[in-house]
Amino acid sequence: MSHADDLQALNRSEHLYWACEGYLGSIHQPYVLRFQGPLEAATVRQALRELTSACPRLRGVVEPTRFSHALRILPDDAHIDALLDDAFQVQGDVDPTSRTALQAWHTRLLNDPMPMERGLPWRARLLPHPTQPVLAFSAHHIIGDGRSMVQFIAALVARLNGQPIAAMPLQSASMAPAVRPKAWWHWPGSIARFLKQARADARERAGTRVLTLARRSSPRFTTSTVHHHALSVPADALKALAKAQGTTVNTLLLALVAEVFLEDAAGDPKARAAIRLSVDLRRHFPAGQSPEIGNHVHSFVVHGRPQPDLTAQIADLDTQVRQQLARYERRDHALPLTVYEWLPLMGRRLYSHLIVQAKRRQRFAPVSCHLTNLGPAEFINPKDATLRVTEFWPATVSTALLIGALSLQGRQLLTVIHQNDEVDPADVRRFLGRLDEKLQQTIPERAAA
């Protein structure tokens, strides 16, 4: 590889993360895993070293170019071994068996800065224990999105169980092939549909009140807090309820969260639970061109409205989700996402200025929360694994309340993250308690047993 080939362009999301870096916090993703069985530090270090060799982006550092920034891929040589001493460390000052201690440690990890100009773009911390060791792995969001993180974690767990790590080669960073129309003559229709939908969305939002947990407004971002929560009913009971409602667990969780928000505005027809959902754009790339590692996610917002019951809420939200996903299928987002591709041309300084001013002037569109669901996470443990993951807590920073959901070992786990500038931890705990109460009221006792 030539020196020039070591530079990888950043895509629009990665430029956004770089513009937010520091102001919003360090834009990284600490994922915490509890294992069942002993975990030797030397074995973990070797697995991390092999993962860093297998995935060039995990050797990437941000470097200024003449007019912008790019990702410099460091050579896979002895310097990486030296950098590993900083990237991977063993900690003995945290009790891995304590849920309270683990949650507080996760919060510290999320708030710790991760410099992207030097070192490696990831960190790993091991809490040793003879039967319940905990491993935290965090990569900067510029390196990859949530799907990329899951691939890193799955590769690590497989390697700890004796399986080799497959190569994760560099691929195109651009999202453009997933959003632009497939032919130039499709552009007019795409733009017309987008403008029509934007007007309809504006009419729908007019006069409504978005419900949030925020008690105050803040001109600056501060720190974040992480909450670990296992729902009060088993994962199988949720699955059974979703099946009885003719929907998926994902839509069921979406409806339940919306209903809990709406409890605070009973009798207000204009109240809305505005919930942001992520969509993986990889499925929309041309055949054979879908990238694996990187940032290829967009998002959309659906609105929970006052409904007579949970069944009606599910039906309404399911319709909204289907309509939103159809927009990606038709390439209706080509115009706005192409404009976003051009935003990095203004440079990091001006881009960061716009973000800081948007926060100060309260220009971010209000949302109740951002909900993302990994679904069943049993795939994290390879077949016939002798060292198994029993808990999995993903996290990253967010401008709004963020709820990450997954099921593992028969439990439905939620990681909830919020900025401390506007939301109080006690209100998040109350919200989760009310979510449990609604589940217990909805699911028959025999299903929750």
Side-chain angles (χ1 to χ4, degrees):
M1 181 184 292
S2 70
H3 186 70
D5 290 337
D6 293 342
L7 279 178
Q8 299 292 309
L10 303 181
N11 70 16
R12 59 175 177 80
S13 288
E14 292 154 6
H15 277 289
L16 174 62
Y17 299 144
W18 190 229
C20 290
E21 180 70 15
Y23 304 103
L24 179 58
S26 190
I27 318 295
H28 63 115
Q29 307 165 87
Y31 283 27
V32 170
L33 300 95
R34 185 191 300 279
F35 287 84
Q36 184 178 47
L39 198 55
E40 298 296 330
T43 304
V44 175
R45 179 189 171 95
Q46 180 60 31
L48 289 165
R49 181 65 182 89
E50 293 178 22
L51 179 65
T52 308
S53 292
C55 181
R57 286 184 72 93
L58 287 174
R59 302 193 304 274
V61 294
V62 171
E63 186 172 297
T65 62
R66 188 177 298 273
F67 299 107
S68 185
H69 291 83
L71 200 63
R72 170 74 67 185
I73 306 301
L74 301 178
D76 189 18
D77 57 19
H79 291 291
I80 300 299
D81 295 303
L83 293 174
L84 203 68
D85 292 333
D86 176 62
F88 171 59
Q89 296 177 12
V90 179
Q91 288 188 237
D93 58 343
V94 178
D95 180 4
T97 66
S98 166
R99 174 63 57 79
T100 301
L102 193 64
Q103 182 176 281
W105 180 65
H106 200 177
T107 293
R108 292 198 299 274
L109 292 176
L110 183 62
N111 288 302
D112 282 347
M114 182 184 293
M116 275 297 291
E117 302 93 336
R118 53 176 292 278
L120 292 173
W122 60 265
R123 297 289 183 271
R125 299 291 183 262
L126 174 65
L127 304 181
H129 190 272
T131 58
Q132 299 182 61
V134 170
L135 177 65
F137 179 82
S138 178
H140 201 283
H141 218 316
I142 288 176
I143 299 304
D145 52 24
R147 173 169 162 177
S148 302
M149 283 295 296
V150 168
Q151 288 184 254
F152 298 152
I153 294 296
L156 270 177
V157 175
R159 182 65 188 90
L160 293 172
N161 279 280
Q163 299 182 15
I165 297 177
M168 305 177 192
L170 290 169
Q171 297 166 303
S172 172
S174 175
M175 299 187 206
V179 299
R180 64 190 176 204
K182 297 178 181 179
W184 67 265
W185 56 85
H186 294 165
W187 271 97
S190 171
I191 294 172
R193 289 191 300 272
F194 167 72
L195 295 175
K196 180 180 179 181
Q197 292 158 2
R199 289 191 292 267
D201 292 343
R203 288 194 298 270
E204 170 62 28
R205 293 191 303 268
T208 61
R209 180 169 66 96
V210 174
L211 305 169
T212 74
L213 297 186
R215 285 182 174 266
R216 56 196 170 272
S217 61
S218 169
R220 297 178 62 84
F221 298 107
T222 54
T223 55
S224 298
T225 293
V226 179
H227 301 259
H228 296 171
H229 185 75
L231 288 181
S232 59
V233 300
D236 284 347
L238 274 179
K239 186 176 179 181
L241 176 60
K243 184 177 180 180
Q245 292 282 347
T247 190
T248 64
V249 171
N250 190 55
T251 303
L252 173 62
L253 284 173
L254 174 62
L256 288 166
V257 168
E259 288 285 285
V260 173
F261 273 110
L262 289 164
E263 285 178 350
D264 286 335
D268 182 359
K270 292 295 186 178
R272 297 290 184 270
I275 302 177
R276 185 173 297 279
L277 302 175
S278 298
V279 56
D280 192 340
L281 297 177
R282 289 169 174 85
R283 71 184 69 179
H284 302 296
F285 276 79
Q289 297 182 30
S290 177
E292 291 295 321
I293 306 301
N295 288 280
H296 305 284
V297 171
H298 194 237
S299 64
F300 59 87
V301 175
V302 295
H303 295 87
R305 297 176 272 234
Q307 301 288 351
D309 53 33
L310 180 63
T311 300
Q313 190 68 258
I314 289 172
D316 184 38
L317 288 170
D318 184 67
T319 297
Q320 291 184 57
V321 170
R322 291 178 186 276
Q323 290 172 344
Q324 290 285 349
L325 293 177
R327 297 183 183 185
Y328 292 93
E329 293 285 351
R330 295 191 302 261
R331 311 297 177 110
D332 292 354
H333 291 282
L335 177 62
L337 294 184
T338 298
V339 172
Y340 294 158
E341 293 280 344
W342 298 336
L343 282 177
L345 295 177
M346 71 176 66
R348 186 191 183 196
R349 187 192 66 80
L350 182 54
Y351 207 170
S352 298
H353 174 74
L354 293 177
I355 293 165
V356 170
Q357 291 302 310
K359 173 64 171 175
R360 178 170 293 129
R361 298 174 182 178
Q362 301 296 304
R363 296 290 177 83
F364 289 111
V367 293
S368 305
C369 70
H370 186 156
L371 177 63
T372 179
N373 188 8
L374 290 178
E378 304 297 341
F379 64 87
I380 289 294
N381 292 309
K383 185 179 179 181
D384 301 324
T386 56
L387 185 67
R388 303 185 68 82
V389 176
T390 58
E391 291 183 13
F392 181 12
W393 307 100
T396 191
V397 295
S398 173
T399 58
L401 183 76
L402 175 62
I403 303 175
L406 61 88
S407 62
L408 183 64
Q409 300 282 298
R411 295 187 298 166
Q412 186 70 45
L413 306 178
L414 302 181
T415 310
V416 183
I417 305 101
H418 64 90
Q419 290 272 331
N420 295 322
D421 57 352
E422 297 181 345
V423 176
D424 291 332
D427 290 328
V428 176
R429 290 191 291 269
R430 279 192 288 271
F431 179 88
L432 292 171
R434 289 161 54 198
L435 182 59
D436 277 331
E437 290 174 4
K438 180 164 286 292
L439 275 169
Q440 292 162 0
Q441 295 165 3
T442 305
I443 296 179
E445 290 185 9
R446 62 179 181 277

